[in-house]
Amino acid sequence: MKHLPFSLILLLQLLSLTQAHTHTDNHPKCTLPEDRGSTLQVIHAYSSCSPFNPKASWEETVAQMLAQDRARVLYLSSLVARKSVAPVAWGRRVIQSPSYIVRVKVGTPPQSFLMALDTSNDAAWLPCNGCLGCPGSTLFASEKSSSFEGVGCGTPQCNQVTNPICFQNLCTYNQTYGSSTIAAALSQDTIVLAQDPIPNFVFGCIQKATGSSVPPQGLLGLGRGPLSLLAQSQSLYQSTFSYCLPSFSSTNFTGSLRLGPVAQPKRIHFTPLLKNPRRPSLYYVNLIGIKVGRKTVDIPPSALAFDATTGAGTIIDSGTVYTRLVQPAYTAVRDEFRRRMGSANVTSLGGFDTCYTVPITIPTITFMFQDLNMTVTQDNFLLRSASTPTACLAMAAAPDNVNSVLNVIANMQQQNHRVLFDIPNSRIGISREPCS
Ligand SMILES: *[C@@H]1O[C@H](CO)[C@@H](O)[C@H](O)[C@H]1NC(C)=O
Ligand SMILES: *[C@@H]1O[C@H](CO)[C@@H](O)[C@H](O)[C@H]1NC(C)=O
Ligand SMILES: *[C@@H]1O[C@H](CO)[C@@H](O)[C@H](O)[C@H]1NC(C)=O
Ligand SMILES: *[C@@H]1O[C@H](CO)[C@@H](O)[C@H](O)[C@H]1NC(C)=O
């Protein structure tokens, strides 16, 4: 049987890959300096300062990010469609969790966590001591914190959790996140963000987790719902924050998350923030067109229109890597891109279908939002191979096996921009700001 040794080799290769990608927290090559004031440093999960850096090749990293993105966009689509999509079995190789992390200190004395940022989620949770199935080895030891308390059943906070289950008079709940399910105990403790203590912050203490979407050291949701960080720090930060995300290709740099209205840019253009009452935590904006170079692409208006009933429209998301457009919008952008590239041979790479081995002559792409044009340069829309001269248009069509109606402006397109979420005034500001 000739094929046996080959399968065995393949299996061994797969196993060694699996090992390289598991979440045992590594020792990062650099240490993150202390955060000051109300500003937290933001690093990419694959940065050399991150213990989650998979140390994979460029091709593997890109393939992995694309697979994660697919799962995330399916998840976001399922949120707006209010139905679950088929569970996605990605296998353990795929670290399907948001890309950017910040340091948060929890408890008295403080224990430090690198929590994943997610602007499309309200929840905050941490893996806690004794957790079954949590992916990392850094767990919150609640018994060592003098300020820790469980949240009781029947409290106002417990009533805001969907389907709470009373267990020994404490509020517990189950929640899905991407392809994961978590079982958590609603808890409260002091957290410190940069130098700001937030006493009695309510979060989920994860006791059991399944699936591969749970970020190894917890999640910090920046959505707008009732139990969100924004709601719980209303008097301190007035539902205002901004971030600048560093490029994932410059692994040594940090961006920033600025909390509160004080240090925010004054000269910045805004577009109105739209609210889908069914999914209040998602940050919808009104995308009215896209330009490739100076040409406005012919996109059917229905592909971009906001519709609170169906969930259709465009969101700004920090957790998806590559912008996803619904099929007619993506096809129009891609076709114009290819037309501009003339007779050069188009190739594909991984999940990207518009790649070239010759220099790309398109200098900019513009997302035209209501009252705000966001013009991005090649660093924000070209994915360049580290080992070959190939560059790809770093966008894709929304997954086609669901009736997807959601466009997602993703983090690669936002890198090196300040994105300001001004919720009291219902608007999002965007301006270019190199932070990596
Ligand atoms: C919640 O999850 C736990 C642990 O997986 C499970 O035992 C329990 O039955 C779940 N409860 C509900 C209401 O789904
Ligand atoms: C990051 O820092 C390491 C160690 O200081 C250095 O070897 C590497 O060249 C740096 N990489 C970049 C992209 O600056
Ligand atoms: C495109 O590829 C074909 C087949 O490999 C080749 O013959 C042709 O010269 C290429 N065209 C350009 C413009 O590079
Ligand atoms: C955005 O660009 C379009 C097309 O170039 C232009 O018509 C429009 O006035 C611009 N909008 C803003 C707010 O600058």
Side-chain angles (χ1 to χ4, degrees):
M1 295 272 268
K2 249 184 164 176
H3 63 275
L4 262 184
F6 177 72
S7 334
L8 197 64
I9 289 165
L10 201 67
L11 185 67
L12 286 173
Q13 278 173 345
L14 283 173
L15 283 175
S16 66
L17 279 174
T18 307
Q19 237 136 47
H21 289 275
T22 49
H23 275 149
T24 39
D25 305 353
N26 300 315
H27 286 291
K29 267 194 252 154
C30 71
T31 44
L32 207 51
E34 284 300 307
D35 295 323
R36 303 259 165 247
S38 303
T39 299
L40 288 81
Q41 293 171 82
V42 176
I43 59 172
H44 197 274
Y46 294 171
S47 148
S48 55
C49 298
S50 162
F52 317 128
N53 186 333
K55 304 190 170 53
S57 71
W58 183 87
E59 281 76 9
E60 279 181 291
T61 307
V62 168
Q64 192 175 43
M65 290 199 292
L66 202 63
Q68 290 165 35
D69 258 12
R70 201 184 132 73
R72 181 170 176 86
V73 174
L74 284 170
Y75 169 62
L76 294 172
S77 302
S78 78
L79 289 182
V80 304
R82 274 200 160 164
K83 60 180 183 215
S84 58
V85 292
V88 222
W90 292 108
R92 290 177 59 207
R93 264 191 71 196
V94 177
I95 304 170
Q96 182 222 321
S97 52
S99 338
Y100 288 97
I101 50 185
V102 292
R103 180 170 41 205
V104 178
K105 292 179 177 154
V106 187
T108 315
Q111 301 173 40
S112 201
F113 297 89
L114 292 171
M115 294 173 78
L117 284 183
D118 187 346
T119 48
S120 297
N121 206 288
D122 293 339
W125 26 260
L126 273 180
C128 283
N129 255 4
C131 177
L132 294 174
C134 280
S137 52
T138 303
L139 303 172
F140 178 58
S142 59
E143 72 284 2
K144 291 193 182 144
S145 170
S146 60
S147 44
F148 177 86
E149 273 183 88
V151 170
C153 307
T155 56
Q157 293 98 328
C158 190
N159 290 337
Q160 286 174 355
V161 171
T162 38
N163 308 321
I165 308 148
C166 209
F167 180 73
Q168 295 177 351
N169 222 18
L170 289 175
C171 183
T172 68
Y173 63 98
N174 290 357
Q175 193 178 50
T176 59
Y177 183 74
S179 59
S180 285
T181 302
I182 63 164
L186 202 62
S187 306
Q188 55 186 12
D189 204 338
T190 301
I191 64 165
V192 180
L193 298 173
Q195 293 178 308
D196 298 332
I198 301 174
N200 305 316
F201 180 73
V202 176
F203 61 94
C205 208
I206 308 181
Q207 295 164 332
K208 190 173 172 187
T210 59
S212 58
S213 302
V214 174
Q217 295 186 16
L219 183 84
L220 191 63
L222 291 173
R224 307 174 257 192
L227 260 192
S228 63
L229 168 67
L230 297 187
Q232 296 192 56
S233 61
Q234 177 56 35
S235 57
L236 187 59
Y237 300 135
Q238 291 152 47
S239 294
T240 306
F241 68 94
S242 72
Y243 56 63
C244 183
L245 304 176
S247 159
F248 55 70
S249 53
S250 55
T251 57
N252 290 3
F253 293 90
T254 62
S256 63
L257 170 67
R258 271 188 216 144
L259 298 164
V262 178
Q264 302 301 351
K266 299 286 176 281
R267 294 180 50 177
I268 189 167
H269 290 286
F270 289 98
T271 186
L273 192 53
L274 311 178
K275 198 162 182 172
N276 176 347
R278 288 167 38 167
R279 283 295 163 193
S281 53
L282 299 180
Y283 291 111
Y284 278 90
V285 288
N286 190 8
L287 178 65
I288 50 185
I290 298 176
K291 284 199 280 187
V292 171
R294 289 162 69 177
K295 172 136 195 253
T296 303
V297 173
D298 194 10
I299 298 173
S302 63
L304 302 179
F306 174 70
D307 180 343
T309 314
T310 60
T314 303
I315 64 166
I316 299 235
D317 182 42
S318 62
T320 309
V321 183
Y322 308 110
T323 288
R324 295 276 181 161
L325 300 172
V326 298
Q327 191 76 54
Y330 177 69
T331 306
V333 169
R334 182 198 66 189
D335 288 353
E336 174 59 18
F337 198 95
R338 290 182 177 177
R339 194 189 65 75
R340 285 282 303 263
M341 288 302 293
S343 61
N345 283 331
V346 64
T347 59
S348 63
L349 180 75
F352 298 105
D353 65 7
T354 300
C355 304
Y356 293 92
T357 50
V358 296
I360 293 194
T361 52
I362 296 150
T364 59
I365 287 186
T366 303
F367 296 101
M368 298 158 68
F369 300 108
Q370 183 182 339
D371 307 332
L372 166 73
N373 287 337
M374 178 191 190
T375 296
V376 301
T377 54
Q378 289 194 346
D379 283 345
N380 292 106
F381 67 82
L382 289 187
L383 187 69
R384 296 178 198 280
S385 164
S387 49
T388 68
T390 304
C392 299
L393 172 63
M395 295 185 199
D400 54 10
N401 62 345
V402 285
N403 249 342
S404 189
V405 291
L406 194 62
N407 299 296
V408 181
I409 306 296
N411 67 44
M412 184 179 176
Q413 280 66 48
Q414 298 173 53
Q415 286 166 6
N416 288 314
H417 288 78
R418 176 122 330 244
V419 183
L420 169 58
F421 295 77
D422 177 358
I423 289 133
N425 296 306
S426 268
R427 55 188 190 168
I428 288 188
I430 303 177
S431 67
R432 192 157 174 82
E433 177 185 312
C435 57
S436 62

